[in-house]
Every structure is written in structure tokens, then in C-alpha cells.
Amino acid sequence: MKLLFFNTKQYDQRYFLAANQHYQHRIRFVDTKLSLDTVSLIHDEQAVCIFVNECLDYAVLSQLATAGVKLIALRCAGFNN
């Protein structure tokens, strides 16, 4: 699977790449947050992984669907997700 991780730091990337050695997904990282302006960074990825407080409103969800994204993973915890 092709994944795009938004809003990542070097330490995030290191751990996700290490975990991916067992799975061999195609992972790409960007340091910017997901928003309506940054959905265009998606290139053939089927999944995105976002961090706390990123925009995931109707407009962004619609653009993700248009881009072919089938899975949204959240790097956060809480009762409101």
C-alpha cells in the first residue's frame, strides 16, 4: 500500500520506517499539515496518516476521496476521534 504521512518529524519517520521493514509499504513523508491546500501533495497514495489538530472537514474529505484515498489513519488518542 502507498501511504502519505502528513506533519511528520524525523523521529516519527525513523520509527515508521523501522516498523515498515516487516510490511514493505511505500511510505512518503511530508512535514506540512493536511489541509485543503495540501491535499494536492497526494500522488497515488491509497492512505494518509495525520496528526492531532489537522483539518479533516468535509471539503478535505471530499478531496481525499477524489484523490483515491481509501484509508485515513490518525496518530492521536482521545475520545473525540
Side-chain angles (χ1 to χ4, degrees):
M1 177 181 283
K2 294 181 184 179
L3 304 123
L4 178 56
F5 283 71
F6 282 89
N7 195 17
T8 58
K9 306 292 184 214
Q10 287 292 330
Y11 55 85
D12 296 316
Q13 296 173 17
R14 182 174 60 241
Y15 289 112
F16 282 114
L17 289 173
N20 189 46
Q21 289 180 356
H22 301 287
Y23 301 101
Q24 298 301 312
H25 295 292
R26 289 196 242 167
I27 296 178
R28 193 164 59 91
F29 300 99
V30 293
D31 60 357
T32 188
K33 290 182 177 185
L34 176 63
S35 70
L36 194 55
D37 295 328
T38 61
V39 170
S40 62
L41 296 173
I42 297 169
H43 302 291
D44 296 330
E45 283 89 5
Q46 296 98 4
V48 296
C49 184
I50 63 171
F51 195 53
V52 177
N53 297 327
E54 294 190 52
C55 181
L56 201 55
D57 61 11
Y58 179 80
V60 172
L61 286 170
S62 296
Q63 289 300 310
L64 289 174
T66 299
V69 171
K70 304 292 184 207
L71 174 74
I72 301 167
L74 306 175
R75 297 189 328 271
C76 55
F79 61 90
N80 61 338
N81 295 319

